[in-house]
Amino acid sequence: MTVAGLLLAASLSTVPLDGGQLTFTRIAINTTLGDQFDPHVDDDLAAYSNATIADQTIHFFRFSTAADTTIAPAVVNGQTTSDLLSDVQGGRIVFTRVIPLDRTAIMMVDTNKGNALTEVNPTAGSNRIGVSIGGGTIAYADLATSSNGTGEIVAVDVATGVPTALTNDAVHDQNPKVSSDGKVIVWERCASNIFNCDIMQAVLGPTGWTVSAVANTSLPEQDPDVSGARIVYTATRGTTGLDVQIRPVTGGAEQALVIDGDETHPSISGDIIAFEHLAPGDVNADIFLYDVASNRLFQITATPLFNEALNDVTVLTNGQVRLVWDSNDEDGVNRNIYGATFSLPPPPNAGPACQSRTVALEASRTYHPNHSNDASVTLSPPMRVAIPSNLPVIAGDADEGWATLTFTVHGLNTTCQYRGTHNRHGHVHHGGTAHDPGDAEEGTDDEHHGGARDAHSDDDTPEPSHYGFRFCEGAGQSLKPGDIVVADAITLHLKSGDDDDGTTIVRLTLKEDCGTTLAALHLDRSDSDLAPQAGCSASGGPVAPLWMLLVMASLVMLRSRRSQIAVQVRQERHKL
């Protein structure tokens, strides 16, 4: 089910409420000499990259014991492997391993099985960079199978080891992220260059993966992450810089968090989104956190002399939030890893709880005399309701007439059109275009009858009748039956029905939806629709040398992370 706060449109914007700066105990996960960066967290485990002059390895930290463990590198062909760019979920850690003079592989360590180390989908000459894990799915970018070395996205079933290529094109496909249930993968598709990307998704269904576009405007979109229900990424949509965008996995409106400055690298878990915020005029970013449920923005770090970046967030089973990030507070270049576990304060003035209200609307259309009686209700506080699939007729007949249901929020109207699908003479309406409610002037004979009747039927026995949903217009033009709206006024209007019965009456009962509270959305602009784009399988290509692979890792996977490029180049001078 697609959920909309206020009303859905092509693009929404949200101004978060200021929740202030949180107070918590910061945990120093790794502050030793060297460069520790790119942390990821799930439940009790955090994994991150650790680079020194001697080697580059993956570490994992257990919050319950404060134990930090190094995943030991291997020696192959007389040289030590290099490990980087990890992810963690369900006690399993995945990462990229550069095996000198051999291949670049995806590895997995399962801490549930004594830290057993295995290679994911072992393939001679493989060239894979960047990996994510969730549920029973691992996804990575495969540079060897693309025709020009740009990379294709591959999904691997953890249980069977069977890979599925999700893309097959000559553009850069990179930076995949997997939802915690393993059923959704998001990534960047960069047709022109790696700095101007679109966001794609693949959803696992009964027959396999379905690929479509999440955001593919002419403007750059980047850094996606995904929970079970929402996709987050960054893009410039207004005048406030680079903003976090939120979009349901099931489709619908793109929601922008409107904050002055630039927001980058969002991560999401449940209703919690963490990201880096660079205020106008500043040179170093801090970590912020946004709670979708209460529409509150919290500041996590406040260190103007250092840059905090590359955060990741997880919501624990007890409702607490666990966050990790890196900071260049070692020497302005090399970074350290920090974490925190905390509870959010309760929302102030949260307002009344859902009241499980029910409203009944009864509207009529008469022809002798010609008149419509509308039904309207004003709701305070606003009420969450689902868009109905039909409007039931309790007297007379809908024939092939039209009815409307209008939802009003802060003076903005969305009008959903319904058409009669059945009349008392046994004729069922199947045709007509979507946008034809104005094909007859209200009050004319053509509108009353709505077209030809079944000439072979003379049964005057009334049969069940209703107006069926056709489309919506206005602010929420993308709404469909089952979508949730939050309205402070609702109006039911019958345009036309069957004038043979004299009067057509519709009675509609709407019940308040008491699901998860949504952030208040402000409809202050409307962008163009985002069209889907499909992808499929892959083909072969060359293996990049070690130096090129590591530079690509810094540019492609961490391209806007300012200090990472300099660190990666410095590491190359030691390695080559």
Side-chain angles (χ1 to χ4, degrees):
M1 177 183 292
T2 303
V3 179
L6 297 190
L7 293 175
L8 271 174
S11 181
L12 309 172
S13 62
T14 297
V15 179
L17 303 175
D18 186 3
Q21 184 167 349
L22 290 181
T23 301
F24 54 84
T25 300
R26 187 179 69 167
I27 300 171
I29 293 176
N30 192 326
T31 58
T32 60
L33 291 178
D35 191 36
Q36 296 86 38
F37 59 94
D38 192 34
H40 295 267
V41 65
D42 179 71
D43 196 28
D44 193 38
L45 285 181
Y48 59 94
S49 298
N50 182 74
T52 66
I53 294 177
D55 57 22
Q56 182 160 291
T57 57
I58 298 297
H59 288 216
F60 62 89
F61 175 85
R62 193 172 291 278
F63 281 84
S64 59
T65 63
D68 188 86
T69 302
T70 303
I71 298 176
V75 176
V76 180
N77 299 321
Q79 299 185 45
T80 303
T81 57
S82 293
D83 299 335
L84 68 160
L85 303 178
S86 63
D87 193 22
V88 59
Q89 199 273 329
R92 302 159 300 173
I93 300 157
V94 291
F95 58 94
T96 294
R97 169 163 284 184
V98 181
I99 304 174
L101 306 177
D102 189 344
R103 63 189 183 276
T104 305
I106 300 299
M107 310 298 293
M108 181 173 73
V109 169
D110 194 339
T111 65
N112 305 307
K113 299 179 179 179
N115 298 341
L117 175 67
T118 57
E119 183 177 352
V120 177
N121 184 26
T123 304
S126 64
N127 189 8
R128 298 159 180 170
I129 185 74
V131 62
S132 181
I133 185 171
T137 302
I138 292 173
Y140 55 80
D142 195 328
L143 279 66
T145 58
S146 58
S147 59
N148 58 355
T150 53
E152 307 292 358
I153 302 301
V154 177
V156 177
D157 186 307
V158 175
T160 65
V162 175
T164 300
L166 301 178
T167 65
N168 179 22
D169 48 39
V171 302
H172 294 273
D173 294 296
Q174 59 192 32
N175 200 12
K177 297 292 178 62
V178 184
S179 63
S180 59
D181 61 7
K183 296 182 179 180
V184 184
I185 302 172
V186 294
W187 68 91
E188 297 168 345
R189 180 183 186 275
C190 313
S192 56
N193 59 70
I194 62 172
F195 301 102
N196 189 352
C197 305
D198 299 323
I199 305 300
M200 305 293 292
Q201 72 173 11
V203 178
L204 182 61
T207 59
W209 294 96
T210 300
V211 176
S212 62
V214 176
N216 60 351
T217 71
S218 60
L219 298 173
E221 291 101 11
Q222 61 190 36
D223 294 319
D225 197 11
V226 59
S227 65
R230 299 182 182 94
I231 298 168
V232 293
Y233 50 96
T234 58
T236 301
R237 295 288 186 254
T239 60
T240 58
L242 197 62
D243 289 325
V244 174
Q245 312 292 327
I246 309 170
R247 200 176 186 96
V249 170
T250 53
E254 178 185 76
Q255 172 192 346
L257 297 185
V258 179
I259 306 170
D260 286 338
D262 289 329
E263 290 74 55
T264 54
H265 307 119
S267 61
I268 184 170
S269 178
D271 285 337
I272 303 300
I273 302 170
F275 52 88
E276 294 126 53
H277 170 63
L278 184 64
D282 286 355
V283 295
N284 291 313
D286 284 305
I287 304 297
F288 280 68
L289 182 148
Y290 175 68
D291 179 17
V292 177
S294 64
N295 190 33
R296 289 180 297 165
L297 180 69
F298 299 94
Q299 184 165 356
I300 303 301
T301 66
T303 55
L305 298 180
F306 303 109
N307 189 67
E308 273 91 18
L310 306 186
N311 73 89
D312 196 25
V313 66
T314 184
V315 178
L316 305 179
T317 56
N318 63 3
Q320 287 189 302
V321 176
R322 179 162 285 162
L323 190 65
V324 293
W325 66 93
D326 66 42
S327 174
N328 66 349
D329 59 355
E330 183 171 314
D331 55 12
V333 177
N334 287 298
R335 291 159 290 183
N336 295 314
I337 303 294
Y338 296 98
T341 304
F342 50 84
S343 297
L344 296 183
N349 303 318
C354 184
Q355 303 172 27
S356 300
R357 292 169 288 177
T358 299
V359 297
L361 300 171
E362 184 172 302
S364 64
R365 181 76 164 97
T366 61
Y367 299 93
H368 311 291
N370 194 339
H371 184 67
S372 290
N373 291 302
D374 295 345
S376 297
V377 61
T378 300
L379 301 162
S380 181
M383 179 171 161
R384 290 165 45 96
V385 297
I387 300 294
S389 59
N390 62 73
L391 309 177
V393 174
I394 63 169
D397 197 272
D399 195 16
E400 294 180 356
W402 289 87
T404 63
L405 191 62
T406 300
F407 300 91
T408 302
V409 182
H410 296 173
L412 292 173
N413 289 334
T414 290
T415 297
C416 297
Q417 301 279 351
Y418 292 77
R419 189 162 196 187
T421 57
H422 185 241
N423 69 41
R424 66 190 296 272
H425 296 284
H427 174 74
V428 179
H429 171 74
H430 297 289
T433 59
H435 291 269
D436 61 350
D439 55 359
E441 292 292 333
E442 185 170 330
T444 66
D445 289 340
D446 287 341
E447 181 193 73
H448 302 164
H449 294 286
R453 294 178 178 268
D454 185 349
H456 301 285
S457 174
D458 56 3
D459 182 7
D460 289 335
T461 303
E463 298 181 15
S465 177
H466 66 270
Y467 294 84
F469 179 89
R470 299 303 298 276
F471 60 91
C472 291
E473 298 174 300
Q477 60 185 352
S478 61
L479 287 170
K480 60 185 182 298
D483 288 350
I484 304 298
V485 297
V486 183
D488 48 36
I490 305 174
T491 300
L492 174 64
H493 169 70
L494 302 190
K495 288 185 176 182
S496 54
D498 184 0
D499 64 350
D500 287 348
D501 289 320
T503 300
T504 301
I505 302 175
V506 167
R507 181 179 296 161
L508 176 66
T509 300
L510 295 173
K511 295 183 178 180
E512 185 168 17
D513 179 89
C514 289
T516 303
T517 302
L518 296 177
L521 306 183
H522 303 278
L523 300 175
D524 58 3
R525 68 171 184 261
S526 179
D527 293 338
S528 59
D529 289 335
L530 304 175
Q533 184 167 346
C536 45
S537 61
S539 59
V543 178
L546 172 60
W547 70 267
M548 182 181 297
L549 178 71
L550 294 179
V551 171
M552 288 183 67
S554 64
L555 289 174
V556 176
M557 303 302 297
L558 308 171
R559 62 185 181 282
S560 59
R561 302 163 185 181
R562 295 182 295 273
S563 60
Q564 174 61 21
I565 296 177
V567 170
Q568 199 70 53
V569 171
R570 187 181 68 255
Q571 292 167 359
E572 289 312 308
R573 294 196 182 106
H574 294 304
K575 292 177 183 293
L576 297 179

